[in-house]
Amino acid sequence: MAMLEIKDISIRFGGVQALDDVTFSLKHGEILGLIGPNGAGKTTLFNCVSGVLKPNNGTITYEGQNLAGLKTDARAHLGIARTFQNLQLFGSMTVLENLMVPLDAFAKRGMVGDAFKLPRARYEERKAEEHARAILHFLGLSEHTETIAGSLSVGLQRRVELGRALCLQPKLLLLDEPAAGLDAAETAELAALLPEIRARFGITMLL
């Protein structure tokens, strides 16, 4: 069974047909690239898979489950994470803090535990930070842990955004134009990094 099945997906914005009967499937452990010029609809398709947009027609099935009606957070809980064509980092926060944002959002500590710093909440927070630091180490970003994210080069910011997605321990990672703004050397480094991510974390990727 395919991990992701896209069948006859179509979406229109007014008079513009952004996607027209798009159909393909993605196997577990596969790295699949979508090729097309700017405006071809790649970001629109990613928005449909992640739940940002609702297609007019067609079905999206993930691990045998129809994703229709599921919101973005529900899809994230199923193991779908993404990066964005336009960087979506918190520029005034540190690199580590950026990675902690999704971990805090999905934490099960509860408001009371956080407010009173209960032992369980402190333990979960330490565990989350250790996980984030491990991701930064894997991506070669350890020396930038306390650096303000907005002060980094575009290439390093791309890695931070990738790290933030990896923190959610996804099974499917959607990489929207991951090489946008990168020079030739940075693009080559990214191309070498993706198979390493698959080998280390067992993640399936669509880009």
Side-chain angles (χ1 to χ4, degrees), residues 162-183:
L162 179 57
R164 189 169 61 182
L166 291 176
C167 272
L168 293 175
Q169 298 178 283
K171 292 184 282 186
L172 172 62
L173 181 56
L174 310 174
L175 300 169
D176 192 1
E177 301 287 356
L182 304 188
D183 60 28

Side-chain angles (χ1 to χ4, degrees), residues 43-54:
T43 296
T44 299
L45 179 62
F46 280 25
N47 285 338
C48 289
V49 175
S50 61
V52 175
L53 293 174
K54 179 181 178 181

Side-chain angles (χ1 to χ4, degrees), residues 3 13 54-55 58 74 78 83 87 89 112 115 121 129 136 139 165 184 199:
M3 170 178 271
F13 302 110
K54 179 181 178 181
L78 289 176
T83 63
L87 287 164
L89 296 178
V112 174
E129 183 174 329
L136 291 175
L139 294 174

